[in-house]
Amino acid sequence: MLQLENVVSDRGSKYAVSGGVVRSRAEVDGFLKGLKRMRKYARATHNSWAVMLSDGTPIKGDDGESGAGMVILRMLEREGLHDHVIVVTRWYGGTKLGGDRFRRVQDCVRAYLDARAGGAG
């Protein structure tokens, strides 16, 4: 598991991103369960995620952050990254971000992909 904390802050909301190799929906569920064992992540407002399985099956979850899973999925598709779940975690800061929330999700996924390419994951 690769985790990057405090990736972005915007109007009080804080973001982190995590990811790792998964090969099935069951492994995705296990990854999410493991992440949420950490109290900090269990208490997050949203843990949005997506994965593109090697058989071409897209799976995503918004966790209340409508549209966030699709943003992550599109970025995974563009990268051609399969069997790798990426989870963007948000702790809501009290101010609605509107469409900017999608930019923050993109910022997190990009930071993750860059760190992974740099050999961190």
Side-chain angles (χ1 to χ4, degrees):
M1 178 188 299
L2 172 60
Q3 283 186 293
L4 304 173
E5 294 192 0
N6 304 318
V7 176
V8 182
S9 275
D10 188 346
R11 290 167 264 181
S13 286
K14 292 182 174 28
Y15 287 83
V17 62
S18 311
V21 174
V22 294
R23 291 185 178 81
S24 67
R25 177 60 199 244
E27 288 185 17
V28 170
D29 292 342
F31 185 94
L32 294 168
K33 189 174 181 179
L35 183 67
K36 291 177 186 178
R37 275 194 198 110
M38 291 177 256
R39 177 177 233 145
K40 178 178 182 176
Y41 288 86
R43 291 186 170 184
T45 313
H46 309 288
N47 284 292
S48 304
W49 59 273
V51 61
M52 177 64 75
L53 298 177
S54 58
D55 67 3
T57 303
I59 311 171
K60 63 182 175 56
D62 292 334
D63 192 29
E65 185 82 287
S66 184
M70 184 54 77
V71 170
I72 300 166
L73 187 60
R74 282 191 194 124
M75 292 183 76
L76 288 170
E77 288 173 335
R78 257 182 265 139
E79 287 291 316
L81 185 58
H82 292 83
D83 294 335
H84 203 99
V85 66
I86 295 182
V87 182
V88 175
T89 302
R90 178 183 179 190
W91 292 271
Y92 181 64
T95 301
K96 293 185 184 248
L97 303 181
D100 286 343
R101 71 185 193 276
F102 298 119
R103 283 188 274 291
R104 300 304 148 249
V105 169
Q106 289 173 332
D107 293 342
C108 289
V109 174
R110 177 55 44 214
Y112 181 88
L113 294 170
D114 290 349
R116 187 177 169 276

